Amino acid sequence: MASNAKQLQDRLQYQFSDPQLLTLALSHRSCGSNNNERLEFLGDAVLGMAISSFLFQRFPEAREGDLSRIRSQVVRAESLAEIARKLDLGPELLLGPGEMKSGGHRRDSILGDTVEALLGAVFLDQGLVAVEACVQNWFGASLNTLTLDTPVKDAKTALQEWLQARGKPLPEYRVVKTEGEDHSRLFTMSCKIDAVDETAEATASSRRKAEQLVAEKLVKKLENI
Amino acid sequence: MASNAKQLQDRLQYQFSDPQLLTLALSHRSCGSNNNERLEFLGDAVLGMAISSFLFQRFPEAREGDLSRIRSQVVRAESLAEIARKLDLGPELLLGPGEMKSGGHRRDSILGDTVEALLGAVFLDQGLVAVEACVQNWFGASLNTLTLDTPVKDAKTALQEWLQARGKPLPEYRVVKTEGEDHSRLFTMSCKIDAVDETAEATASSRRKAEQLVAEKLVKKLENI
């Protein structure tokens, strides 16, 4: 285990019963076959469930679309990397020489994955209740200040910028349908990006939210192109 | 609650402490604003975590890529619909008149979503341990006969058929890189579908598995086109 494991566990506000789990969670795949990828697989699911359960209780009136939107914000790689920085995980990462040299301990994806791996390790170590406590401690203020109106990190802007940078026409959002009565209306919006032959569609409780969800889907697709 | 709730709970091998949760889990959104969409949101995460935890323990030597591949098979909509049929959920669904008429109780997506909603309800009713018992009972044999070599439902074939049906050229898979030593080699494959300007990439412990993962990603993308 890292020599400064005590300080790290103090920052995590969690003491491992099995300290080897901590070491494994910090081990990036660049340092060998005994790495944190399996824990990350588990931790991703554990985190998704802890956040889903939290949001479900926290917003008893929210619709599924809004809960999904907020969840994807909370667990996005950038948010996890930010938490990793707050916990000062960077210097604790166990990296192979190549990653070490190329600044892997500062890379968002590696940092975020490590947060997931740590949650997977906590789950194995002491179960779901311990995970929920860690999530509360680590995500802290950002969880407790969430509101249904928390602006999504602006996917529409991101999409527009992506297209403009490539000299493509701006996206057009269309109403596919509206459902429900006045106080519980649901809007389904779609958007087709001809330039890359991609379409997405999403439903939410306002046009604005549905458009953001559509834009998020498209941004994700474009990232894979 | 449905009049035959007792028989249903016998089939589910689960007795709800709060029977209203059962009713809610069976209520499709077509029957009004008090529906199972929030439970489905929760249940999707709960199921993901229960399966992830099961696979993590069951395959202590499996790599993350293989675990993800098996998980996506287990929780795919078709698998969930199959479970719903085994539990004979169709006749229990609470549907609006439109869905009722158009055979909503036989539709895969509605059936699968209901299984998720039921697991969300069980989680609220009695927690994760109860969920894990239900998953074992409902998924049963299909979980316990899984092996790392369980063939993926053939995404490569599906992709090929999709392209052929549209007169497009067949997909070509390329090795992007291979990593690791002989006994733990990792293959990263990619495939670009020029006809729809889509590319995907995936890593697994064999070329065949990586190709299947790539094909799965592409099939998902094509479903959205």
Side-chain angles (χ1 to χ4, degrees):
Chain A
M1 184 160 53
S3 59
N4 40 4
K6 190 188 168 311
Q7 290 93 318
L8 172 58
Q9 290 183 90
D10 286 348
R11 293 202 299 280
L12 296 176
Q13 297 175 257
Y14 182 81
Q15 302 300 315
F16 277 88
S17 307
D18 176 359
Q20 289 188 350
L21 282 170
L22 173 57
T23 307
L24 189 60
L26 296 170
S27 302
H28 182 253
R29 67 172 171 182
S30 61
C31 69
S33 61
N34 207 19
N35 63 48
N36 67 4
E37 287 192 306
R38 281 170 49 88
L39 286 177
E40 183 203 331
F41 165 83
L42 183 61
D44 171 74
V46 165
L47 173 63
M49 140 130 203
I51 297 293
S52 300
S53 168
F54 172 82
L55 295 176
F56 186 95
Q57 307 287 351
R58 168 77 189 279
F59 299 113
E61 302 296 330
R63 290 173 166 286
E64 184 276 337
D66 290 330
L67 294 174
S68 293
R69 180 178 56 85
I70 302 181
R71 179 177 61 191
S72 69
Q73 251 180 285
V74 173
V75 304
R76 59 192 290 154
E78 296 86 335
S79 314
L80 298 182
E82 202 175 299
I83 284 164
R85 292 206 174 82
K86 225 173 53 191
L87 296 170
D88 201 14
L89 292 185
E92 315 294 337
L93 300 182
L94 302 170
L95 301 169
E99 278 297 349
M100 188 80 94
K101 230 171 168 172
S102 65
H105 56 283
R106 288 190 304 272
R107 195 170 309 149
D108 267 17
S109 60
I110 295 183
L111 287 168
D113 291 350
T114 306
V115 170
E116 291 183 333
L118 281 168
L119 288 170
V122 169
F123 179 73
L124 291 179
D125 198 55
Q126 290 182 34
L128 188 58
V129 175
V131 167
E132 287 174 335
C134 285
V135 167
Q136 279 296 328
N137 289 331
W138 302 355
F139 290 69
S142 67
L143 270 188
N144 296 314
T145 56
L146 281 174
T147 72
L148 284 180
D149 299 320
T150 302
V152 288
K153 199 154 184 181
D154 194 4
K156 281 179 71 177
T157 306
L159 178 60
Q160 188 169 323
E161 288 174 355
W162 193 95
L163 291 165
Q164 283 176 326
R166 286 158 186 78
K168 311 284 186 193
L170 294 186
E172 279 178 38
Y173 297 87
R174 288 185 323 117
V175 180
V176 178
K177 65 176 172 187
T178 59
E179 295 169 278
E181 289 153 31
D182 269 355
H183 62 288
S184 63
R185 205 177 290 286
L186 278 184
F187 298 83
T188 301
M189 306 292 300
S190 80
C191 180
K192 181 161 183 349
I193 307 289
D194 287 322
V196 291
D197 207 3
E198 287 283 8
T199 309
E201 195 176 298
T203 304
S205 57
S206 75
R207 286 180 58 143
R208 187 182 57 78
K209 286 178 191 167
E211 286 179 4
Q212 284 290 356
L213 286 173
V214 167
E216 274 177 37
K217 287 186 184 178
L218 287 169
V219 166
K220 266 187 206 152
K221 289 184 180 184
L222 297 176
E223 280 169 357
N224 294 320
I225 283 180
Chain B
M1 184 161 48
S3 60
N4 41 3
K6 192 191 164 307
Q7 291 91 319
L8 172 58
Q9 291 183 91
D10 286 348
R11 293 203 298 282
L12 297 176
Q13 297 175 257
Y14 183 81
Q15 303 301 316
F16 277 89
S17 307
D18 176 359
Q20 290 189 349
L21 281 171
L22 173 57
T23 308
L24 188 60
L26 297 170
S27 303
H28 183 251
R29 66 174 172 181
S30 61
C31 69
S33 62
N34 209 18
N35 63 47
N36 67 4
E37 288 192 306
R38 282 170 49 86
L39 286 177
E40 183 204 332
F41 165 83
L42 183 61
D44 170 76
V46 165
L47 173 63
M49 141 128 202
I51 297 293
S52 301
S53 168
F54 172 82
L55 295 176
F56 186 94
Q57 307 286 350
R58 169 80 190 278
F59 299 114
E61 302 296 329
R63 291 174 165 284
E64 183 276 337
D66 290 328
L67 294 173
S68 294
R69 180 178 58 84
I70 302 180
R71 178 177 61 191
S72 69
Q73 254 181 282
V74 173
V75 304
R76 60 193 289 154
E78 296 86 335
S79 314
L80 298 181
E82 202 174 299
I83 284 164
R85 292 206 174 84
K86 227 173 51 190
L87 296 169
D88 200 15
L89 292 184
E92 315 294 338
L93 299 183
L94 304 169
L95 300 170
E99 278 296 348
M100 189 80 94
K101 233 172 169 171
S102 65
H105 56 284
R106 288 190 304 272
R107 195 168 310 147
D108 267 18
S109 60
I110 295 184
L111 287 168
D113 291 350
T114 306
V115 170
E116 291 183 334
L118 282 168
L119 288 170
V122 169
F123 178 73
L124 291 179
D125 197 55
Q126 290 182 34
L128 188 58
V129 174
V131 167
E132 288 174 335
C134 286
V135 167
Q136 279 295 328
N137 289 332
W138 303 354
F139 289 70
S142 67
L143 270 189
N144 296 314
T145 56
L146 281 175
T147 71
L148 283 181
D149 298 319
T150 302
V152 287
K153 199 153 182 179
D154 195 5
K156 281 179 70 177
T157 307
L159 177 60
Q160 188 170 323
E161 289 173 356
W162 193 96
L163 290 165
Q164 283 175 325
R166 285 157 186 79
K168 312 285 188 193
L170 293 185
E172 280 179 36
Y173 299 86
R174 289 186 321 116
V175 181
V176 177
K177 64 177 172 184
T178 60
E179 296 167 278
E181 288 155 32
D182 267 354
H183 62 288
S184 62
R185 204 178 293 283
L186 280 183
F187 297 83
T188 301
M189 306 293 298
S190 80
C191 180
K192 181 162 184 345
I193 308 290
D194 288 321
V196 291
D197 207 0
E198 287 282 10
T199 309
E201 195 175 298
T203 303
S205 57
S206 76
R207 283 180 60 143
R208 187 184 57 77
K209 288 179 190 164
E211 286 179 3
Q212 285 289 359
L213 286 173
V214 167
E216 276 179 35
K217 287 186 184 178
L218 287 168
V219 166
K220 267 189 204 150
K221 290 183 181 186
L222 296 176
E223 280 169 358
N224 294 321
I225 283 181

